[in-house]
Amino acid sequence: RTRCILMKKFEYKSCYVGDKGQLESDLIISGVNETKLNELGKEGWELVNIIKTEEERRTNLTAIFKRELTNKS
C-alpha cells in the first residue's frame, strides 16, 4: 500500500518596517501599523519573523510574512 504525503507550499513577502508613520509603498510598513498588518492578515499573510539589522548606527527592521499557496494561486 503506497502512502502519499502532500506537503503544503508557501509564498513569502518581506517588508521594510520604517519609522516615519506614513506608508510609503505596499512593501513598507510604518512602525507597528495595525491597519496594514490586519490588511495583510485578511489577504492570508502571516507574520513569521522580524529581522533586525544595523548599518552605520541605523537600525533596520524587515518583517517576513508567509501564506499558503492554493491551487488558485
Side-chain angles (χ1 to χ4, degrees):
R1 199 160 132 180
T2 303
R3 191 175 209 195
C4 181
I5 298 174
L6 298 177
M7 297 189 64
K8 292 182 180 182
K9 296 181 182 178
F10 297 93
E11 64 179 323
Y12 295 87
K13 175 186 287 235
S14 61
C15 301
Y16 171 76
V17 181
D19 59 359
K20 295 187 176 187
Q22 293 289 330
L23 188 64
E24 296 176 25
S25 81
D26 64 342
L27 294 179
I28 298 175
I29 300 172
S30 300
V32 179
N33 182 328
E34 287 183 13
T35 301
K36 184 62 180 171
L37 290 173
N38 286 329
E39 287 174 11
L40 288 167
K42 288 176 184 175
E43 294 173 8
W45 292 104
E46 174 185 3
L47 177 64
V48 293
N49 199 1
I50 294 182
I51 299 169
K52 178 181 173 182
T53 57
E54 294 185 29
E55 40 181 89
E56 297 182 19
R57 292 182 274 169
R58 181 171 184 197
T59 299
N60 299 307
L61 298 174
T62 302
I64 307 297
F65 295 86
K66 75 172 185 179
R67 73 175 169 190
E68 187 175 348
L69 288 172
T70 62
N71 291 337
K72 295 178 185 176
S73 296

